[in-house]
Amino acid sequence: MKQKLIVGNWKMNGSLAANAALLQAIKQGLPADNKAGVAVAAPAAYLAQVQAELAGSAIGVGAQDVSQHEQGAFTGEVSAAMLKEFGVRYALVGHSERRQYHGETDAVVAAKAQAALSKGITPIVCVGETLAEREAGQTEAVVKRQLAAVIHQVGHCVSELVVAYEPVWAIGTGKTATPEQAQSVHAVLRAQLAAASAQADRVPLLYGGSMNAANAAQLLAQVDIDGGLIGGAALKAPDFLTIVAAAQ
Ligand code: PEP
């Protein structure tokens, strides 16, 4: 069976003290025979701390964003090369909060994915429809358009991506997609990836949107759900560890 991948997205939460306590608890709570891939996407300001805390552990360091630019006059941005210096293995790109609050277009998201790949960082490409789009019957068209932009940009590197389906209406709302709803969108994304790459099966397809300790097992049991992108529940070690346990 394919290894599952669980990634915590801390969003703009944490402090030096809280991060240390959370990471200690996660490291101590991971079973010795853990089979899932595990990573945490921390705020950029804490990447050095997270790298140090996770040194020698199998838990990967993730970033929540990456600049599409290589270097230069882009105040406030962090380049892929900079992230790489802090041991970053994954970078979220196109999280709905970035699309919504920072105006990130499909083209910008695609350029960010490319920038990450160029420095050996795996982009976790987030796609997902709003409630209005779902109600208008546009779910499939929206996620396919979002993913197509990235596929077009990265060319033969499609199999190096991670893709996260995150229905916007389920993020931070406590409303989770049902396992059937999530699976049916994942199947669409899987087919789209397969049409672009013979190695599409390698691409982990994560579900994100109020995944928690209680619903993770059912979601992760779906045939095309290869893991989870976890927001709120990633800030509580027992909940995060329960999700990881459901991913074995
Ligand atoms: C997220 O921010 O990627 C997310 C899935 O958040 P939550 O789990 O809190 O819905």
Side-chain angles (χ1 to χ4, degrees), residues 9 11 92 95 97 166 170-174 208-211 229-233:
N9 173 16
K11 311 196 191 204
L92 305 184
H95 191 282
E97 289 151 15
E166 297 207 304
I171 296 179
T173 59
S210 299
M211 190 187 270
L229 181 54
I230 320 298

mmCIF file of all heavy atoms in Angstrom, residues 9 11 92 95 97 166 170-174 208-211 229-233, ligand 1:
data_model
loop_
_atom_site.group_PDB
_atom_site.id
_atom_site.type_symbol
_atom_site.label_atom_id
_atom_site.label_comp_id
_atom_site.label_asym_id
_atom_site.label_seq_id
_atom_site.Cartn_x
_atom_site.Cartn_y
_atom_site.Cartn_z
ATOM 1 N N ASN A 9 -0.691 22.106 8.966
ATOM 2 C CA ASN A 9 -0.553 23.513 8.556
ATOM 3 C C ASN A 9 -0.866 24.367 9.770
ATOM 4 O O ASN A 9 -2.029 24.511 10.154
ATOM 5 C CB ASN A 9 -1.529 23.820 7.408
ATOM 6 C CG ASN A 9 -1.549 25.310 7.071
ATOM 7 O OD1 ASN A 9 -0.658 26.048 7.469
ATOM 8 N ND2 ASN A 9 -2.568 25.732 6.338
ATOM 9 N N LYS A 11 -0.689 27.470 10.086
ATOM 10 C CA LYS A 11 -1.152 28.823 9.739
ATOM 11 C C LYS A 11 -0.380 29.856 10.586
ATOM 12 O O LYS A 11 0.768 29.594 10.958
ATOM 13 C CB LYS A 11 -2.660 28.947 9.924
ATOM 14 C CG LYS A 11 -3.420 27.797 9.265
ATOM 15 C CD LYS A 11 -4.872 28.107 9.105
ATOM 16 C CE LYS A 11 -5.625 26.854 8.714
ATOM 17 N NZ LYS A 11 -6.866 27.143 8.022
ATOM 18 N N LEU A 92 3.650 24.667 0.966
ATOM 19 C CA LEU A 92 2.276 24.823 0.488
ATOM 20 C C LEU A 92 2.281 25.889 -0.601
ATOM 21 O O LEU A 92 2.953 26.911 -0.459
ATOM 22 C CB LEU A 92 1.351 25.293 1.618
ATOM 23 C CG LEU A 92 1.297 24.471 2.908
ATOM 24 C CD1 LEU A 92 0.254 25.059 3.856
ATOM 25 C CD2 LEU A 92 0.991 23.018 2.608
ATOM 26 N N HIS A 95 -2.643 27.829 -1.125
ATOM 27 C CA HIS A 95 -3.648 27.615 -0.073
ATOM 28 C C HIS A 95 -4.781 28.613 -0.290
ATOM 29 O O HIS A 95 -4.541 29.760 -0.690
ATOM 30 C CB HIS A 95 -3.012 27.808 1.309
ATOM 31 C CG HIS A 95 -3.914 27.360 2.419
ATOM 32 N ND1 HIS A 95 -4.957 28.135 2.857
ATOM 33 C CD2 HIS A 95 -3.957 26.220 3.148
ATOM 34 C CE1 HIS A 95 -5.601 27.485 3.827
ATOM 35 N NE2 HIS A 95 -5.012 26.326 4.018
ATOM 36 N N GLU A 97 -6.389 30.441 1.602
ATOM 37 C CA GLU A 97 -6.247 31.720 2.308
ATOM 38 C C GLU A 97 -5.303 32.662 1.552
ATOM 39 O O GLU A 97 -5.471 33.880 1.593
ATOM 40 C CB GLU A 97 -5.781 31.467 3.752
ATOM 41 C CG GLU A 97 -6.906 30.843 4.583
ATOM 42 C CD GLU A 97 -6.463 29.952 5.728
ATOM 43 O OE1 GLU A 97 -5.284 29.990 6.115
ATOM 44 O OE2 GLU A 97 -7.323 29.184 6.224
ATOM 45 N N GLU A 166 -8.750 20.839 -0.990
ATOM 46 C CA GLU A 166 -9.275 21.498 0.205
ATOM 47 C C GLU A 166 -10.497 22.328 -0.173
ATOM 48 O O GLU A 166 -10.348 23.493 -0.598
ATOM 49 C CB GLU A 166 -8.211 22.424 0.800
ATOM 50 C CG GLU A 166 -6.964 21.707 1.275
ATOM 51 C CD GLU A 166 -6.289 22.473 2.391
ATOM 52 O OE1 GLU A 166 -5.962 23.659 2.209
ATOM 53 O OE2 GLU A 166 -6.131 21.911 3.472
ATOM 54 N N ALA A 170 -14.912 23.970 3.711
ATOM 55 C CA ALA A 170 -14.632 23.025 4.799
ATOM 56 C C ALA A 170 -13.424 23.443 5.627
ATOM 57 O O ALA A 170 -13.133 22.823 6.651
ATOM 58 C CB ALA A 170 -14.391 21.628 4.216
ATOM 59 N N ILE A 171 -12.732 24.500 5.201
ATOM 60 C CA ILE A 171 -11.498 24.881 5.903
ATOM 61 C C ILE A 171 -11.818 25.735 7.118
ATOM 62 O O ILE A 171 -12.395 26.814 6.994
ATOM 63 C CB ILE A 171 -10.537 25.636 4.955
ATOM 64 C CG1 ILE A 171 -10.102 24.705 3.823
ATOM 65 C CG2 ILE A 171 -9.332 26.151 5.722
ATOM 66 C CD1 ILE A 171 -9.178 25.353 2.818
ATOM 67 N N GLY A 172 -11.467 25.201 8.270
ATOM 68 C CA GLY A 172 -11.635 25.941 9.513
ATOM 69 C C GLY A 172 -13.087 26.141 9.921
ATOM 70 O O GLY A 172 -13.377 26.928 10.827
ATOM 71 N N THR A 173 -13.997 25.448 9.280
ATOM 72 C CA THR A 173 -15.417 25.660 9.544
ATOM 73 C C THR A 173 -16.034 24.542 10.370
ATOM 74 O O THR A 173 -17.158 24.679 10.850
ATOM 75 C CB THR A 173 -16.203 25.717 8.212
ATOM 76 O OG1 THR A 173 -15.987 24.467 7.524
ATOM 77 C CG2 THR A 173 -15.746 26.862 7.348
ATOM 78 N N GLY A 174 -15.298 23.422 10.483
ATOM 79 C CA GLY A 174 -15.882 22.261 11.152
ATOM 80 C C GLY A 174 -16.769 21.455 10.226
ATOM 81 O O GLY A 174 -17.251 20.394 10.588
ATOM 82 N N GLY A 208 -7.912 18.065 2.705
ATOM 83 C CA GLY A 208 -7.841 19.017 3.806
ATOM 84 C C GLY A 208 -9.152 19.757 3.946
ATOM 85 O O GLY A 208 -9.809 20.085 2.944
ATOM 86 N N GLY A 209 -9.523 20.037 5.182
ATOM 87 C CA GLY A 209 -10.775 20.752 5.447
ATOM 88 C C GLY A 209 -11.447 20.106 6.633
ATOM 89 O O GLY A 209 -12.189 19.139 6.473
ATOM 90 N N SER A 210 -11.095 20.637 7.822
ATOM 91 C CA SER A 210 -11.671 20.127 9.069
ATOM 92 C C SER A 210 -11.467 18.630 9.253
ATOM 93 O O SER A 210 -12.303 17.956 9.841
ATOM 94 C CB SER A 210 -13.154 20.501 9.164
ATOM 95 O OG SER A 210 -13.297 21.917 9.161
ATOM 96 N N MET A 211 -10.338 18.122 8.750
ATOM 97 C CA MET A 211 -10.024 16.735 9.102
ATOM 98 C C MET A 211 -9.611 16.733 10.568
ATOM 99 O O MET A 211 -8.879 17.626 11.015
ATOM 100 C CB MET A 211 -8.897 16.161 8.236
ATOM 101 C CG MET A 211 -8.727 14.655 8.417
ATOM 102 S SD MET A 211 -7.273 13.955 7.576
ATOM 103 C CE MET A 211 -7.926 13.541 5.977
ATOM 104 N N LEU A 229 -4.072 17.188 4.890
ATOM 105 C CA LEU A 229 -3.492 18.491 5.232
ATOM 106 C C LEU A 229 -4.366 19.026 6.362
ATOM 107 O O LEU A 229 -5.566 19.238 6.182
ATOM 108 C CB LEU A 229 -3.500 19.419 4.014
ATOM 109 C CG LEU A 229 -2.907 20.816 4.193
ATOM 110 C CD1 LEU A 229 -1.491 20.771 4.750
ATOM 111 C CD2 LEU A 229 -2.897 21.559 2.857
ATOM 112 N N ILE A 230 -3.746 19.203 7.519
ATOM 113 C CA ILE A 230 -4.506 19.400 8.754
ATOM 114 C C ILE A 230 -4.248 20.792 9.305
ATOM 115 O O ILE A 230 -3.087 21.134 9.574
ATOM 116 C CB ILE A 230 -4.050 18.371 9.842
ATOM 117 C CG1 ILE A 230 -3.800 16.967 9.245
ATOM 118 C CG2 ILE A 230 -5.034 18.332 10.991
ATOM 119 C CD1 ILE A 230 -4.977 16.313 8.619
ATOM 120 N N GLY A 231 -5.279 21.579 9.507
ATOM 121 C CA GLY A 231 -5.112 22.902 10.086
ATOM 122 C C GLY A 231 -5.278 22.864 11.598
ATOM 123 O O GLY A 231 -4.367 22.497 12.338
ATOM 124 N N GLY A 232 -6.469 23.203 12.059
ATOM 125 C CA GLY A 232 -6.728 23.324 13.495
ATOM 126 C C GLY A 232 -6.260 22.135 14.326
ATOM 127 O O GLY A 232 -5.642 22.309 15.386
ATOM 128 N N ALA A 233 -6.520 20.946 13.842
ATOM 129 C CA ALA A 233 -6.189 19.744 14.634
ATOM 130 C C ALA A 233 -4.685 19.482 14.692
ATOM 131 O O ALA A 233 -4.231 18.640 15.476
ATOM 132 C CB ALA A 233 -6.923 18.527 14.058
HETATM 133 C C1 PEP B 1 -5.938 24.082 6.186
HETATM 134 O O1 PEP B 1 -5.746 25.221 6.589
HETATM 135 O O2 PEP B 1 -5.228 23.650 5.261
HETATM 136 C C2 PEP B 1 -6.987 23.289 6.810
HETATM 137 C C3 PEP B 1 -7.332 22.158 6.258
HETATM 138 O O3 PEP B 1 -7.541 23.799 7.951
HETATM 139 P P1 PEP B 1 -8.595 23.053 8.938
HETATM 140 O O4 PEP B 1 -8.093 21.636 9.124
HETATM 141 O O5 PEP B 1 -8.548 23.838 10.191
HETATM 142 O O6 PEP B 1 -9.905 23.067 8.252
#
